[in-house]
Amino acid sequence: MSMRCLATLAGLAATGCSILNPSAIDTRLEIELSGSEQLAWPIPEEGEIAQSFVETRNSPADPSGLAGLELQVSGGTGLTVSATDFDANGKGPIIDVPESGSIHVHVRLRQDGVVAEGRVSWALARDAIWTLRVSRSPYVWGMDGTPENPKCYYPWCRVIKRFVIEESARNYPAEALWLEVELHPWEGPLE
């Protein structure tokens, strides 16, 4: 075996590479913001063409968007995340979480005081990547039901929760604060 190959293998082993050691994979929570986009509103009936659109404001730098965001994560980990912890693409912290128990997230949106607030909790699973996505919009993609009574539609969705934003802080009447929780197992397809 060449020295170059040995050096590469040693480097991979030192970093706990999952290819060489799958048991080294950690269960984690990735926090992200949805991108800003135009959404049809009101939602057109099936077969109808959208007549109007709203622009979502999900930038962590936008005072009328998510600049006042605060998340408190507890349950095996304790962490407070604010809008300044997200990059320009909406990628936030990645947190190691336990493989069992549950996790709790308390969300607040501030604009001259708290204008939206709520909590979500879910049971943790082994060898999983959890994604917590935050958005400010009239609805979220992949939602079943209605915006007032959302339900998960796709198989990896675990929680969709809507929180009312105070009327004076909304950019348009139907705007709400949303938290979505997805589960992505490390191995195999979801059932």
Side-chain angles (χ1 to χ4, degrees):
M1 193 176 275
S2 73
M3 286 302 281
R4 189 170 134 198
C5 184
L6 284 174
T8 301
L9 287 174
L12 289 173
T15 61
C17 178
S18 62
I19 295 170
L20 298 177
N21 183 6
S23 65
I25 297 171
D26 292 325
T27 299
R28 67 181 191 233
L29 171 64
E30 299 176 353
I31 304 175
E32 61 185 41
L33 305 177
S34 289
S36 294
E37 59 188 329
Q38 285 195 345
L39 294 176
W41 189 258
I43 301 171
E45 295 294 323
E46 190 171 332
E48 290 184 0
I49 296 174
Q51 300 298 313
S52 61
F53 296 84
V54 294
E55 182 74 31
T56 63
R57 298 183 73 166
N58 290 315
S59 168
D62 183 350
S64 295
L66 294 174
L69 180 68
E70 180 183 285
L71 299 163
Q72 291 178 324
V73 182
S74 62
T77 188
L79 179 71
T80 299
V81 178
S82 70
T84 59
D85 294 314
F86 294 88
D87 67 19
N89 296 318
K91 296 295 181 194
I94 298 174
I95 307 163
D96 288 331
V97 295
E99 293 186 338
S100 62
S102 55
I103 196 161
H104 313 282
V105 176
H106 182 184
V107 62
R108 281 188 202 95
L109 184 61
R110 296 178 187 275
Q111 269 179 235
D112 296 324
V114 175
V115 296
E117 184 171 26
R119 299 181 197 290
V120 296
S121 297
W122 67 94
L124 294 168
R126 185 184 167 136
D127 296 332
I129 300 173
W130 295 96
T131 301
L132 174 65
R133 187 172 301 107
V134 183
S135 61
R136 189 173 173 158
S137 62
Y139 58 90
V140 292
W141 291 106
M143 174 190 85
D144 204 1
T146 65
E148 294 76 23
N149 188 23
K151 294 179 178 37
C152 287
Y153 176 72
Y154 50 96
W156 52 92
C157 174
R158 292 297 177 258
V159 177
I160 293 182
K161 201 79 164 155
R162 175 184 183 267
F163 304 103
V164 174
I165 297 174
E166 286 184 14
E167 189 173 348
S168 63
R170 294 181 204 153
N171 295 304
Y172 45 86
E175 188 177 44
L177 182 65
W178 293 85
L179 293 183
E180 300 171 77
V181 177
E182 297 176 350
L183 167 62
H184 302 279
W186 280 105
E187 299 176 358
L190 289 168
E191 297 177 351

